[in-house]
Every structure is written in C-alpha cells, then in structure tokens.
Amino acid sequence: MPFIIRLFNSRKSALSTIIASNLFILLIPLAMGLFLYAKVEQSLEKSSTRSNVAMLEQLKLSLDNKLSEVDTLMRQVVFDPKLDYMLRIPANSTDTDKYEFIQFMRDKMSKYQSMTSSFILDYYVYFASSDSIVKSDLVTDSRTFYSLYYSYKNMSYEGWRQLLDQEHRMSYMPLSSVSNGADQPPKDVITYIQSLPVHSQSQNLGSFIVLIDVDQVKQLFAQMESASHSLVYIIDDAGKTIMSNSETPFPSDLLNRIHGSTEPFDYRMASVDQVVSVSASQKAGWKYVSIMPNDVFMQQVNQIKSWSVGLFILCLFAGLIAVSVGVYRTYKPLQKTVNAIMSGKELIKRPFSNEYEFIRLTVEGSIHEEKHLRSTLAQQTPFIRANYLSRLLNGHMDVDISAANGDSLQFMDLKFVSDQFAVLIVKIEDIHLFGEDEQQWAHARFIVSNIGADLIAAHHRGFSLELDRDRLALLINLSAGRQKIAESDIKEIAESLFTITSQRFQIGLTIAVGGIHEGPKAIRDSYPEALAALEYRLIQGKHAIIYFQEIVDVKQHYYYPLEIEIQLINFVRSGDADNVGKLLDKMYAMNFDANQITPELGKALFFNVTSTLLKIMNSTNTNQEEVLGADFDPIKEVFSYPTAQGMYTKTKELYETLTRSFNLDRSDHSLSRLQEIVGIVHDNLGDSSLGVAQIAERIQMTPQYLSTFFKKHQGQNLLDYITTKRIQQSKLLMQNKELTIVQIAQKIGYNNDVVFIRAFKKVEGVTPGKYRETSLVETTSSNT
C-alpha cells in the first residue's frame, strides 16, 4: 500500500491511470448492489400497496354486492301498486283501510323476508299520514315500534321521527347502535332510508327503511386490518363516515385529497408516515379509504438494508486489497520496460506524462518518417497515371512499348502488352439507383470503371480514365495472341458492360467504340473516332452502343423540300391536325429511319422545321403567349433534348398545339370544346388530381393555352371554376347527416380536410361545420 501511494503522487507515473481503472471496475458491482437495493425497496413498497389496494377493492366489491340486495328489496317494496294508496290513508281511517296494512304485511312484506340474506337485519315501511309502521311480521304505530323494537342509542323518538320526515333519496346513515327489545343486546347497524313515494319530488308521505347488519362488514374490515394493519373508512358523498374500524375520526384534511385522487399517495398522521389508498363505489356513492403505516413493508426493507450495508463494507475492503495487488503486478513490468528503453537510448529523457505515452512516442517516432514517404508516393500515383493516360488520348505523346520505357511505367502500375489499341468512351446517361448529387455520380463512375476494367482484363489489358462528370474512357491494349478476334472481343466487352450496369445497377449508358489501330499513334487515332461515334448519340438516341465503322458512310443531305413546307403551312392554318401529324411522321421517317445523316444535318433539319412554325405564327399574327405561354422559346425548347427522337416529339407537340389553336378559333368548335372541358370537370370532381395539366393532356392542349381559352369563353379561371363546383357539390352532400366533413372532402376530391375547409370558407364566408349547423337549424324551423 505505501508503494502505491508513493507512485500515485508522482506526476511522471502511469500508476494513477491504473489505480483509477481498477477502482472503476471495483465500483461497478458496488453500484449495481446499491441499484438492486433501491429496486428491491421500491418493489416491496409497490407490492404492499398493490396488495392493500386489491383488498380494498375486494371489500368494495363485496359490499357493493350486498348493497345490490338492498336496492333489489327497495324496488320490490316501493314500486308495489298498493303502496301509493296506502301512503295517503289518514290516521282516523276506516277498518277497511286499516286492513290494507295487514294485508300488505302478510302478502308483501313477509314474502320479501325470504328473499333477503343475513346482511339485511330488518326492514319496514313508515306511513306518515297514518303514523303506521309495517314490517314483515308487525303492523303498529311509530311510538310503539320505536320503544319496543328498534330504538337508536343516541337518538330520541322525536329525533327519529324528524329523521323519517326528512326527504331521503337512497340515503345511508352512519353506523348507529339500536336496541332490539329489552332482553336483546344492542346491535350496530347502518340505516338505509328512501322517501316515499319515489316518483314525487314535492311531498314526503313516508319512508322505506332497511337496517343493515354491520357484523358482516366488520369481518371484512378485520381481514384487511390483520393483513396490513390498515385503518379502513367508508365515507359518503357528504364527507360523513359511514363506518370505520378505528375510533379515530377521519382526518378532515384528507377529504379534499380523496375526492381528487385515484392513485395511492403518502400522508402523515399522528407523526407516522402512511400510505392512503382510495376506491370509489358507484353503487352507493361511497369512497373506501385505507390508511396503511409505512412500517408494514419497511420492516422487510430495513432487514435487507442491514444485510446490504454489511455486505457492501466487506466487498469494499476485499476489493481494495485486490486493487492493491493488481496495480503492483501491472505496473512493475511497465516500469522495467521504460528503464530498458532509457538505458538503450541515452539522449531520451524521462517522459513528462506517463509511461504508456513515452513507449508509444518512442515506437511511432521510429516508423513515422518511412510511413509518411510511402503514403505520399501512394497518394500521388493515381494522379500521375491519369495525367499520363490523358496525354496519350489527346495526342500529346506517342505510345512507347519498349522494355526501357516499360520499366519507367512500373511505379504507375502501367504495362503494355502490344502496340494495338482501341478506345471506348462511356457516357453515363442516368443513375436511377443512386441519386443526382456529386457523391452518387462518383459512385456510378467507380462502378462503371471497375466493371469495364474487369471485362477487359479477361483477355486484354485495360485502363480507365475519368474525362468528365458523366464520361469515362476505357483504353484497351489488345493481347498479341487475340488480334484476329479483337473486334468480336471489343463488341463483347461493350455489350457486357452495357447489360451489367443496366440490369444490376440501373445505370443507363451510351458507349462509343473507336476503331482498332496499331503503332505509336494508335491511341491518338482511336480516341477521335470514339468521340465522333459519340456525337451520333443525337441520331441513334441514348442508351445505345455506337461503332465508328457503322457511321463512316452517312449521307450529307436531308429531306425537307419546299413543297412539303408549303403543305405543312396550309395544313396548320386550316386546323387539320391529323394531316400535320402524318406529314411530320413522313418527314422524320425519310430522314432518320430510311437514311443515315450526320448529327449536324439533323440539328439543321429541326432548326428549319421550327423556323417554319415561327413563320406561320408571324404571318397569321398569332399571339405566342396565348398559344405557347409567356417567355416560351421554341428553338431553345426543341434543342434542349439530346436526341433526335426527343427533338421530333417536342416539335410535333408544338405543331399540334398551334394547329388546334386555329381550329378552336371557330365559334362552333369553341363551344363544343368548352362543353367538353366543362363535362370533364363535372364528371371528375371526386378526382384529387383534377387540374389544368390533367385536362390539357386529355384534350390535347397545352396548359397555358387551355387556361387562356377557358377564361376567354367562360369568363372565369379554370381552377376557380373547379373549386366553385366542388363547393356546390359539398353543400348537397351536407344534407346527409351521416357523412362527416372529412368524408365529404374526400368525395369531392380533397385529400386534406384542412384544404377543403379553407376553400369552403373562401367561397361561402363560413366554415363547413358552421354552414351545416345553420342549414340544419333553418330546416328544423321550417318543418316546425
């Protein structure tokens, strides 16, 4: 131990770290023990509380079941047909009326006696008008009944009569002691009183009284008291104590808390911590309250606590001894290692931090310089190789496959096996699987480059070079033994690369293949051919493999004679959309399907056809903004497509739009087209995607021209018209009370009821709910 303390105080020792680590390991089981003790204490407390709540709930259920018997008996008696008549019989009645009481006792009250259990001590009916008491075996006046049968210990006859004359609605009186005859000991009962008649709120003609035997309830109280030493109170709605197993009155400050709480809570009573549990009864409106001392469950907790403290001290002492031994055995070899390093290198000073840091710096210092040089050279190699290949492709230098030059290329990982080369240029058209940011483009280039290199390596030597964001060059150095089948090898490489990237990685490619060349200038000759083949992407379209040999013999003219242009102008101005489309299809087939033209001639052809479109618009004074939209440039729009097919599709669309504009200018056709648009709106109000774009697509118009045409002939914006019709439809649907606002919104094409409410309020000035409420009130008033 002194050894550890001495080294711990040294700034130059790693001992403090070792001691801290071992102490931390020691504290883990100790902390787990404390945590376990806390959980055990919490679990015991919850278990005891749950048990007490369960017993309280059982007490409530037992009493509620018994009280149901009282309720059943009350209903049998008070709803008897003769009872209402008997309540109005006066004291000086005839013998016939008095006989009614005897008959009621014999036929009714005695019969109900067999339906009751020992829980009901007795029951009787008090008739105020005749001052009579009727029970199962007796008919007498109230004074005789009180003096001979049931007299309350703390209540006089007058007080008892006053109690009966008061109005009671299924009322339970607190526990009282009654005498049942002179020779019988007093009996504790709970009195149940129901004023009669039940259906009258203005007069009190009598009462139905039930005496409940408390002895059975006390047995249930005794079970809870013996199990948890709890004080149990039954409190009514007025805060009076109906019954309790304690002589101590119910604390007044607890009344508000039990009315607002359903979960057990802590309470201090008579300088003792208690746990209060409450259970409410729906039968009589009572609340069952249990007050349990904390000592009931803390006795077990304290016993566990004493064992835990002793075990904690024992573990702590044993752990400190183990830490001391472990620290000494760990630090001693470390100290010897440091001394050995220092004895071997006299210039090294003792470390300023700790021995681990000293050893680490010593080892790192010996290898750092060599590692840094190797890393720098490895990082620069790809850039050097890329620069070298780029100069070969652009013709800045010739290929040298001599042995001397081969040795100088080893550091770039380059080796040529022959003087025959071919160049493939790969353009990445789309990368559906990845995304469109720079990182995903880099991933796509990496995949294409590696797949291409692997395919070439099967029979030849191959190298890849990134030319642009979406372009790569694959340099194929043909093997000497496969020169006769080199063309088929290159074709197989291009097709395999195209298929693999498309099917497995969803990367669309256009591959341009240059010719095979031999000699020092082989690469500089093949690369321009691949570039020329790539230009024919305009003619053949994207996602194709283009070979330079297939485009050598192309024609240098295109088909667009003057008579075709005149026919096209006449068809457009006459509104003949069918013949315009057929004429454009014929012209495209003559130039691109039957013949091969250069990309430059293809662009010139589309420029002339678009110029014809502008000529028609200028000669007819057509408003370009109404037909094609504001700030719309036909030339720029057509030439934004990279392929001839795309240019042709856009050109044909522009011609069809212009042709239909001439056709729509005729009044009879305009009316027919307007009716078609209105019909589409009415038939598709429930379609959430209904809008200008969808309608324009169905009737073959541009969205801009559709909006202008509808406003011109209808006098209203198309979107406003759709909204107005939807609101009108919703007002009809609101007459069906079973439909909610959300359902109505969905039926008229709104996916979001918030958007529907906003649109309805904009049109009608009120929300849909307010409108429906107002319309229902008006309908009710008119019906009345």
Side-chain angles (χ1 to χ4, degrees), residues 404-415:
N405 188 59
D407 294 338
S408 65
L409 300 179
Q410 287 294 330
F411 79 97
M412 292 186 293
D413 194 22
L414 286 176
K415 182 181 180 181

Side-chain angles (χ1 to χ4, degrees), residues 554-626:
V554 295
K555 296 183 178 181
Q556 298 298 321
H557 67 275
Y558 60 81
Y559 175 78
Y560 188 48
L562 182 59
E563 57 271 18
I564 293 296
E565 183 178 19
I566 294 174
Q567 289 181 16
L568 184 62
I569 293 173
N570 292 332
F571 286 150
V572 171
R573 297 183 64 174
S574 62
D576 191 350
D578 292 337
N579 281 324
V580 169
K582 292 178 180 179
L583 195 59
L584 291 174
D585 290 341
K586 175 183 177 182
M587 186 174 56
Y588 181 81
M590 292 289 292
N591 285 284
F592 294 96
D593 293 344
N595 299 307
Q596 285 283 349
I597 64 174
T598 64
E600 293 77 14
L601 286 177
K603 293 179 180 179
L605 171 63
F606 283 109
F607 182 82
N608 287 341
V609 175
T610 309
S611 298
T612 302
L613 179 77
L614 297 176
K615 290 178 186 178
I616 298 172
M617 297 180 68
N618 292 333
S619 63
T620 57
N621 295 323
T622 302
N623 190 331
Q624 180 175 326
E625 291 187 1
E626 291 184 0

Side-chain angles (χ1 to χ4, degrees), residues 109-127:
M109 298 295 283
S110 60
K111 181 180 69 173
Y112 298 144
Q113 183 70 33
S114 61
M115 299 170 57
T116 61
S117 65
S118 59
F119 178 72
I120 298 178
L121 179 65
D122 208 346
Y123 60 94
Y124 56 91
V125 180
Y126 167 66
F127 298 89

Side-chain angles (χ1 to χ4, degrees), residues 240-257:
K240 294 186 297 183
T241 301
I242 300 298
M243 183 177 176
S244 172
N245 64 347
S246 172
E247 298 294 334
T248 306
F250 188 76
S252 58
D253 58 336
L254 267 182
L255 287 175
N256 292 332
R257 298 189 66 181

Side-chain angles (χ1 to χ4, degrees), residues 362-428:
T362 302
V363 174
E364 286 184 353
S366 62
I367 62 175
H368 178 71
E369 184 175 358
E370 180 183 359
K371 182 178 180 181
H372 176 70
L373 292 175
R374 291 181 178 274
S375 176
T376 303
L377 183 60
Q379 292 175 0
Q380 296 300 322
T381 298
F383 297 100
I384 297 173
R385 181 172 58 188
N387 180 265
Y388 177 77
L389 294 176
S390 178
R391 285 184 291 148
L392 287 177
L393 288 174
N394 291 289
H396 298 307
M397 59 185 300
D398 295 335
V399 180
D400 185 1
I401 63 171
S402 62
N405 188 59
D407 294 338
S408 65
L409 300 179
Q410 287 294 330
F411 79 97
M412 292 186 293
D413 194 22
L414 286 176
K415 182 181 180 181
F416 299 130
V417 296
S418 72
D419 62 348
Q420 283 191 324
F421 293 90
V423 177
L424 275 66
I425 297 179
V426 181
K427 179 173 177 58
I428 302 175

Side-chain angles (χ1 to χ4, degrees), residues 671-681 695 698-699:
L671 179 60
S672 175
R673 184 51 60 96
L674 179 62
Q675 292 175 350
E676 181 183 1
I677 296 171
V678 171
I680 292 174
V681 172
I695 299 174
R698 291 184 60 175
I699 63 175

Side-chain angles (χ1 to χ4, degrees), residues 513-766:
V513 183
I516 300 174
H517 294 269
E518 185 177 357
K521 302 182 184 298
I523 296 177
R524 69 164 66 178
D525 292 338
S526 183
Y527 178 61
E529 294 177 355
L531 287 175
L534 187 63
E535 286 296 322
Y536 273 79
R537 171 174 166 268
L538 173 70
I539 307 301
Q540 298 189 13
K542 300 189 295 184
H543 307 111
I545 302 175
I546 307 172
Y547 297 92
F548 177 75
Q549 289 80 0
E550 297 177 357
I551 64 172
V552 175
D553 299 327
V554 295
K555 296 183 178 181
Q556 298 298 321
H557 67 275
Y558 60 81
Y559 175 78
Y560 188 48
L562 182 59
E563 57 271 18
I564 293 296
E565 183 178 19
I566 294 174
Q567 289 181 16
L568 184 62
I569 293 173
N570 292 332
F571 286 150
V572 171
R573 297 183 64 174
S574 62
D576 191 350
D578 292 337
N579 281 324
V580 169
K582 292 178 180 179
L583 195 59
L584 291 174
D585 290 341
K586 175 183 177 182
M587 186 174 56
Y588 181 81
M590 292 289 292
N591 285 284
F592 294 96
D593 293 344
N595 299 307
Q596 285 283 349
I597 64 174
T598 64
E600 293 77 14
L601 286 177
K603 293 179 180 179
L605 171 63
F606 283 109
F607 182 82
N608 287 341
V609 175
T610 309
S611 298
T612 302
L613 179 77
L614 297 176
K615 290 178 186 178
I616 298 172
M617 297 180 68
N618 292 333
S619 63
T620 57
N621 295 323
T622 302
N623 190 331
Q624 180 175 326
E625 291 187 1
E626 291 184 0
V627 178
L628 302 179
D631 301 326
F632 185 84
D633 187 348
I635 301 294
K636 185 183 295 183
E637 189 70 18
V638 170
F639 283 91
S640 65
Y641 290 87
T643 64
Q645 180 63 43
M647 293 181 183
Y648 167 67
T649 302
K650 188 62 182 177
T651 303
K652 189 175 181 181
E653 178 185 333
L654 295 176
Y655 267 94
E656 288 179 353
T657 301
L658 181 60
T659 305
R660 293 181 184 278
S661 69
F662 284 108
N663 200 3
L664 286 174
D665 286 339
R666 302 171 187 174
S667 59
D668 55 343
H669 190 79
S670 298
L671 179 60
S672 175
R673 184 51 60 96
L674 179 62
Q675 292 175 350
E676 181 183 1
I677 296 171
V678 171
I680 292 174
V681 172
H682 289 186
D683 294 340
N684 297 274
L685 286 177
D687 187 356
S688 60
S689 62
L690 180 66
V692 177
Q694 184 192 38
I695 299 174
E697 182 179 355
R698 291 184 60 175
I699 63 175
Q700 299 298 315
M701 281 187 180
T702 62
Q704 297 85 355
Y705 186 71
L706 172 62
S707 299
T708 303
F709 171 79
F710 189 84
K711 188 170 185 181
K712 176 181 178 181
H713 293 84
Q714 184 69 16
Q716 185 180 12
N717 184 280
L718 179 56
L719 290 179
D720 292 341
Y721 181 79
I722 294 173
T723 301
T724 302
K725 291 302 177 182
R726 281 176 168 168
I727 298 305
Q728 292 175 358
Q729 183 69 18
S730 70
K731 289 161 64 176
L732 295 176
L733 292 174
M734 285 182 190
Q735 298 176 7
N736 186 352
K737 299 179 182 179
E738 296 181 357
L739 292 178
T740 65
I741 297 299
V742 176
Q743 291 172 333
I744 293 174
Q746 293 174 349
K747 285 181 177 293
I748 61 173
Y750 288 100
N751 291 330
N752 191 329
D753 60 316
V754 176
V755 178
F756 165 61
I757 293 172
R758 189 181 298 119
F760 191 95
K761 188 173 182 182
K762 181 179 179 181
V763 175
E764 296 294 331
V766 295

